[in-house]
Amino acid sequence: MNREDLRSLGIKNFGHLRRLESILFTRDEDIGSITNSRGELDLGIRVQCWRIEYNNADSNFYLHWDPVNTNESKLPDDIRKILEGGKSRPIKEYDNFRDTLSDGTHHYFVEDADRDPKVRCKEFESILKGMKKAGIKVTQRANAYLTFEVEVSQISCQNENFNISCQTSIFWHEPNLIREKKVKLKSKNDNVLGDFPIVFPEDSSLPVDPEKLFGNALEGSVTFVEREEFFNPVTGIVHVHYKHHGTLEEQMELHRFPFDRQLLHIFILVNSGDYQFIPAPPRRWK
């Protein structure tokens, strides 16, 4: 669920939820590890409850985190000293898309879920702008655009659910997709638009997880009718298209039919940690 979904449920303070998520999904042995939770390639030293702060004395930005007691850990000595120090050298580069940060000497793995919950999103965005002005290389999250067409086919007040048929299209810009071997070409033949069919590995970090697209779907109810994934090497645009059916849960409130009305909720789960969803796409994305 994204922030708007939570606001619709009356939740306005998200800091404690992010911290809870970090506690639930981060094991102690992950702290300081040089791979992310998916076991991917070396991304840097993982730190917990991290934040970026500006130092007026030397006009530099530093990465800070909660110092960790590593006496009982199996980490190398140099990594242990860094974690116990709680502070990096002046930041040289930050990649908000791949969650990596470098101070010129060490590389750090800084996931959004591990960020200090006291640092609000607007405050963090302001810090990133300051880093850019200071000449630090900052790579922002990739922009993504989602379209959604849905048709409600059946409503069951007794079972408190409803059936949908929908089409979902997601576009995003990732020109190095093939070069970084994140996908496999399904065919070497492109279509009339110059798009090549591709296949993503099962553990890929996509703007949405097609298997877990709906937050309020009944378990095992979502089935795919059509599934297409394309990449255009000229524009660098990735386009995925899904057609699916599903049954979604809803708290029915039709007690005075036909004089009342029912609002049906569809919660779409998106990967807002790696992608920035935009309200309208650039012209070349269509």
Side-chain angles (χ1 to χ4, degrees):
M1 298 172 70
N2 59 26
R3 288 175 176 268
E4 294 305 318
D5 297 332
L6 293 171
R7 286 194 182 98
S8 70
L9 297 175
I11 300 173
K12 299 180 180 179
N13 186 357
F14 309 101
H16 62 290
L17 292 177
R18 291 182 52 221
R19 183 58 179 161
L20 176 61
E21 178 187 40
S22 177
I23 293 172
L24 289 175
F25 294 100
T26 302
R27 302 186 303 272
D28 291 340
E29 56 266 31
D30 288 333
I31 298 174
S33 63
I34 56 175
T35 58
N36 64 10
S37 57
R38 296 180 296 274
E40 293 174 341
L41 297 178
D42 184 352
L43 295 174
I45 304 167
R46 184 171 189 174
V47 291
Q48 293 291 297
C49 202
W50 63 270
R51 59 203 174 277
I52 296 174
E53 296 181 2
Y54 178 72
N55 189 314
N56 290 311
D58 59 9
S59 301
N60 284 314
F61 288 86
Y62 293 86
L63 174 68
H64 294 259
W65 60 89
D66 287 352
V68 178
N69 185 348
T70 60
N71 292 334
E72 298 180 1
S73 71
K74 299 179 181 179
L75 296 170
D77 290 341
D78 56 338
I79 303 297
R80 290 171 57 184
K81 289 180 180 179
I82 293 171
L83 291 172
E84 291 170 357
K87 180 181 177 182
S88 72
R89 297 185 179 188
I91 297 173
K92 303 297 182 184
E93 184 176 346
Y94 173 56
D95 191 329
N96 194 23
F97 180 43
R98 292 177 175 81
D99 296 330
T100 57
L101 183 148
S102 172
D103 61 8
T105 303
H106 300 103
H107 297 278
Y108 299 89
F109 180 48
V110 285
E111 281 192 308
D112 286 346
D114 296 334
R115 194 171 71 216
D116 188 340
K118 296 178 182 178
V119 180
R120 306 284 178 159
C121 288
K122 288 186 178 179
E123 179 184 351
F124 187 67
E125 292 296 331
S126 177
I127 291 172
L128 295 185
K129 290 180 181 179
M131 292 171 63
K132 285 184 177 180
K133 289 182 180 180
I136 298 172
K137 182 180 179 181
V138 177
T139 303
Q140 293 282 36
R141 290 175 294 172
N143 285 333
Y145 173 70
L146 183 146
T147 65
F148 188 72
E149 298 180 13
V150 61
E151 178 181 344
V152 178
S153 57
Q154 183 177 354
I155 300 174
S156 174
C157 294
Q158 182 177 0
N159 296 322
E160 291 196 308
N161 59 45
F162 60 99
N163 296 338
I164 61 170
S165 299
C166 58
Q167 298 187 46
T168 307
S169 292
I170 307 102
F171 302 81
W172 72 94
H173 185 240
E174 195 169 355
N176 297 325
L177 196 69
I178 301 294
R179 189 180 303 115
E180 295 180 357
K181 298 180 180 180
K182 292 184 177 181
V183 297
K184 293 182 180 180
L185 283 175
K186 194 174 182 180
S187 170
K188 294 184 178 180
N189 299 319
D190 60 343
N191 59 20
V192 294
L193 299 176
D195 298 331
F196 287 86
I198 56 177
V199 177
F200 284 95
E202 292 184 1
D203 60 348
S204 296
S205 179
L206 304 180
V208 300
D209 183 346
E211 302 294 341
K212 301 177 182 178
L213 181 60
F214 304 105
N216 56 328
L218 290 176
E219 186 176 354
S221 69
V222 178
T223 57
F224 286 87
V225 179
E226 186 175 296
R227 192 167 176 170
E228 299 176 317
E229 299 163 334
F230 297 99
F231 174 69
N232 190 308
V234 177
T235 63
I237 301 301
V238 186
H239 170 212
V240 299
H241 178 75
Y242 308 118
K243 287 184 179 179
H244 33 220
H245 304 301
T247 302
L248 308 187
E249 295 179 304
E250 182 60 80
Q251 183 177 351
M252 296 298 178
E253 300 175 343
L254 294 173
H255 303 302
R256 297 190 306 115
F257 184 83
F259 302 105
D260 53 7
R261 60 182 181 177
Q262 174 68 47
L263 179 63
L264 300 177
H265 294 86
I266 300 177
F267 294 109
I268 300 178
L269 304 179
V270 299
N271 181 2
S272 57
D274 293 329
Y275 296 88
Q276 176 69 45
F277 284 81
I278 54 178
R283 184 175 300 176
R284 69 180 187 276
W285 286 24
K286 296 182 178 180

